[in-house]
Amino acid sequence: ERFTMDEGLSMAVREVFVRLYHDGLIYQGDYIVNWCPRCRTAISDLEVEYQPQQGNLWNVRYPMAEGDGGIVVATTRPETMLGDTAVAVHPDDERYRELVGKEVILPLVHRRIPIIADDYVTMEFGSGAVKITPASDPNDFAIAGRHNLPILRIMDDNAVINENGGPYAGQDRYECRRSVVRDLESGGFLVGTEPYTHNIGRCYRCKTDIEPAVSRQWFVRIAPLAKEAIAAVVTGKTRIVPASWEATYFEWMNNIRDWCISRQIWWGHRIPVWTCEGCGKVIVASTDPDACPGCGGAKLRQEEDVLDTWFSSALWPFSTLGWPEDREALRTFYPTSLLVTGFDILFFWVARMMMMGLYVMKEVPFRDVYLHALVRDENGEKMSKSKGNSIDPLEMMDRFGTDAFRFTLAAFSAQGRDVRMSEERIEGYKFFINKIWNAARFSQMNLADYSPEISVSSAEESIADRWIRARLARAASEVTRGLDEYRFNDASAAAYQFVWHELCDWYLELIKPALYGEKKATARRSAQKTLFETVSASLRLLHPFIPFVTEEIWQSLIADGRSIMVSEFPSAEAIPTDLAAEREMALVMEVITRIRNIRGEMNVAPSLKLKVALDSAEEGALSTLEKGRGYIENLANLEALSLTREGAERKGAATAVAGPVRVSVFLAGVIDFAAEKARLGKEIAKIEKEMGGVGKKLANPDFLAKAAEAVVRKEQEKARLFGDKKAALEAALARVAALADGG
RNA sequence: GGGCGGGUAGCUCAGCUGGGAGAGCGCCACGCUUACACCGUGGAAGUCACAGGUUCAAGUCCUGUUCCGCCUACCA
């Protein structure tokens, strides 16, 4: 479906405005807004930048109109006193109780203004009395509304004092401040001045101090709309993830103020309101009227203000789908399933889309809102163009690769936290991409003669083949879960862990003999098939994180002529679990690791082929090891491996324990008894530390009585395993000690 | 002032519903073994900010203290 965005958006904006207007949700009114005297436009509360600024707190005495005495007020902006229309105190303030209702004389302009009581006033601050300037302060404006006070504008749109300022007319606001302070002082009204730091609001664009000012603006009566948007989140029609942001959302929505939507700027959607110059009739229409429907006059004047850009942004979920026309795209894709955005525009944009979506479409615009982390610079500061501390993503992509950068963002995106971008981390993932590339090369080299049609019976599959398939199923399940729950760091970590540390570190090494040894053709075929399928699935798992490299490899290696984008995402359910293979490989792998550990710790050259004996009292363990014999011999670099049932004396051997298996590495002639003694001692100490915790738990009757049964059983099993291991290590230590002592 | 988040290995950080302290980088030792030295194998390293409490059990829950960060605000 084709329609131009600009036209569609304009239509939608006008249509929504008209509907709101006719529902009584848009009004024009005099209201105090943040006015930028330089841009000569109102800006929204959210666009004001606050900065602490050093100023003064001037204490000024206003004399009573009748009799003696007076009341002291404090102000940071003495020039605004010209527009004061009251002095307010707290209703509970004993000091001023009898003054409420009386009048004071406003110095310099000699106007009588009343003393009123309003609980906005903080008794503890200053003198406890506040001057009220409705036209120059939002709070004062609100108080004026409550007490029917006159609103007196003393400045024009350029923040220059107007005729209401009497002798100060024509002065700029800051020039006027100096004049007023000088005159208050000479008139004896200034009772004190103290330095004071407070926040000054500035225009986000031109950095000019904003001037709260009363002016005629257009507003959306927002409370009814907010009510619906709040309900949508309360009832779960829309979920905010992470949920911690819901509180912030509610806080803001419950205290929302009417939305000032008019802007006095040059660019934007012009407000679709016309006034007939003949009869004064106001016309609100979604298409330009030719003549006044009241008097027929053709002299119509359109409102000059334009709409806040967020007004049209709020319509995005449906205006982009062709609304107000009833298009198929709109019916299909509204509401969308997910909005991904930054929390910094939760209010600007998300909440407003919610309100407008519910108002116009009678349905939430999206089911889930995922608020991602904000990327900060390495000092934790928010990146911004004005600060110049932005990390240029294009530069990062040039240096480390687009996929590496993208994977880094996923890996960093733990929920509820901001991230500090780190080049080291990106580099680490660049290495990961490289690893994948090399694994693909390995696969390509060994799959040249492979065809996916080749069938392999399950009987031909090796333990390694079965094992990697089972591990793949787990990885697929973890990645899927991470993505489903918007835990992208968990998802990316699961993929990373599987591909590097299981597929590359173990599986590729395990099958090398089958691939290019003199093994049977069946073993080779099975390894090839499993390799092909595992790499294929891995690429698909990784594709959401690293689209470019996976597509490239997919095309050259898997090559079914279609993009990896339209391939099926691996499903854990489709891959059979294989606990037996996982358990058996775990033992084989541990034995290999134990042998390597001895090699490393005893400083035996990696090139030296070793003789190893494995003893176990468990028949099952021995048969597993027999099945894994080839893997052990190859990956531990052995020249001989014997498996025996009885734990015979192993002279001149270094010892380790892998589950129910005693590992003896023969180091005849090269064994360093002192080193072996130290190594065993270290192992035993480690075991003892673990046994300590377990033993303490099992000795505690409360633990046995109150802990879950499964937990207790687990601890008991652990105690047994640790006990066995310790005994075996201690026996080895005693033997080595004897040999060492004997020379 | 209010709200929120955080203080876990040298660094950057994971640790969801309380039950074996983890990863990456860095560091140490050995190794260019025919995918990869952007690599491999092995190793060292933490009073989980502090103090209480709940619990058989606390990095994980509660209270307080402290330090850091972010957001927000109308004490003139």
Side-chain angles (χ1 to χ4, degrees), chain A residues 329-341:
Chain A
L330 181 64
R331 290 193 298 273
T332 309
F333 296 114
Y334 192 96
T336 57
S337 51
L338 170 67
L339 175 78
V340 179
T341 190

Side-chain angles (χ1 to χ4, degrees), chain A residues 113-133:
Chain A
I113 58 174
I115 296 173
I116 60 167
D118 193 288
D119 55 17
Y120 154 75
V121 180
T122 310
M123 285 190 274
E124 292 73 31
F125 189 86
S127 64
V130 192
K131 59 191 274 307
I132 301 299
T133 321

Side-chain angles (χ1 to χ4, degrees), chain A residues 602 604 608 610 652 666-673:
Chain A
M602 302 296 285
V604 178
L608 182 68
L610 297 171
F666 294 101
L667 295 170
V670 285
I671 192 163
D672 175 341
F673 291 113

Side-chain angles (χ1 to χ4, degrees), chain A residues 613-617 642-651 653 655 662-664 666 731-732 735:
Chain A
L614 301 174
D615 306 304
S616 180
S642 66
L643 302 173
T644 42
R645 175 128 203 197
E646 302 296 319
E649 191 77 356
R650 302 295 184 190
K651 280 190 182 158
T655 308
R662 183 167 61 127
V663 180
S664 303
F666 294 101
R735 212 171 50 245

